[in-house]
Amino acid sequence: MIVIVKKSTPPAAVEALTCKLRDFGVDVHISQGSVHTVLGLVGDTSKLDIDQLKIFECVEDVKRIQEPYKNANRKFHPLDTSIPVGKHFIGGGSLTVIAGPCSVESEEQIIGVAENVKASGAKLLRGGAFKPRTSPYAFQGMREEGIKLLLKAKQVTKLPIVTEIMDISQLDLFDEVDVIQVGARNMQNFELLKQLGHTDKPILLKRGLANTYQELLMSAEYIMASGNENVILCERGIRTFETYTRNTLDISAVPVLKKLSHLPVIVDPSHAVGMVEFIPQLSLASLAAGADGLMIEVHNNPANAKCDGLQSLTPEQFDQLMKRAAKLSAAII
Ligand code: PEP
Ligand code: MN
């Protein structure tokens, strides 16, 4: 349920109304827009009578929210959410490019790539330490050692780091990680999502291979309902009948998710298409569709990468893409 407060209502009256609403046993989220203040009510609103709420002098309108996701719903929070990460903000009009290798492989590799992508304008460094691999015989990541190397790269370059958590037992290792990634395969690991909701770290939540927009938003809701509102949604391609590309980039996800939710939406074209050749076009298409950013795999030696070499740009290819992305962003603003 949302309560729209009349224009120019003094803050004290909004505060008094909020207290009354809390007395009804619901949680109230205040969203201060440029014109209207919107109060989002979460919890059991079934016993609240819309007409009874409309009696309050400062209430302009009261509406029930049909969608099962509340905190993530744009109706609750009409303005775009912008999430601070270091000195940078993700969402809310700024463009965020996250780049780095699929997996951390060595100190030389991660620091080298970090320096390269930073010079090209990336705002965050990615790198997998815990790797969800289809085969148990494939490289599983450097695990704890991988996180230590990411932290070294962060120290050298000052780039905030993004890395994937696969199990809540790993959380202690993520103390100095800036953004925790929940991978496609874990999008519906609800226990993990609930626990991450108890942290205050930004969570980069990737869409599952076969999940709907509503399922993605419900997963974001799990994190938010546990108290962590810092969720970034990521479209990374879904499984369709097409087999030429690794997955199918669902470009519609960008404008649709941005309409349904106030959360930032970024696109990972690397895992979507799986081939270096098409990553620049899909990156530009994603920005044109309104994405708040991109997550791109970059490797100093793709031919010898331990994971996802076929979809990893070289630092030079990434640099060229960043120049084109900057021109496009300037044109579409
Ligand atoms: C990744 O970003 O390294 C990754 C494993 O992605 P996804 O979960 O989208 O497959
Ligand atoms: Mn990868």
Side-chain angles (χ1 to χ4, degrees), residues 141-212:
M142 292 183 76
R143 306 175 70 86
E144 186 168 356
E145 185 57 25
I147 299 211
K148 284 189 188 144
L149 295 182
L150 277 168
L151 292 173
K152 271 196 187 167
K154 172 178 170 177
Q155 212 174 26
V156 174
T157 59
K158 307 282 176 283
L159 282 181
I161 55 173
V162 184
T163 193
E164 178 167 353
I165 193 166
M166 284 175 60
D167 189 88
I168 202 63
S169 61
Q170 298 154 357
L171 188 61
D172 286 347
L173 300 171
F174 283 69
D175 268 0
E176 292 167 72
V177 168
D178 300 277
V179 177
I180 302 180
Q181 177 173 321
V182 174
R185 291 155 192 82
N186 263 320
M187 188 203 92
Q188 288 191 312
N189 181 342
F190 301 120
E191 284 304 317
L192 176 64
L193 301 177
K194 278 191 245 178
Q195 296 300 326
L196 292 174
H198 294 130
T199 74
D200 57 3
K201 297 264 186 207
I203 309 295
L204 174 60
L205 178 64
K206 296 186 97 177
R207 180 180 180 193
L209 273 69
N211 287 110
T212 62

Side-chain angles (χ1 to χ4, degrees), residues 254-275:
V254 178
V256 174
L257 290 171
K258 288 194 69 76
K259 175 192 159 96
L260 299 177
S261 176
H262 53 90
L263 297 172
V265 177
I266 70 161
V267 172
D268 168 354
S270 307
H271 292 88
V273 70
M275 287 179 265

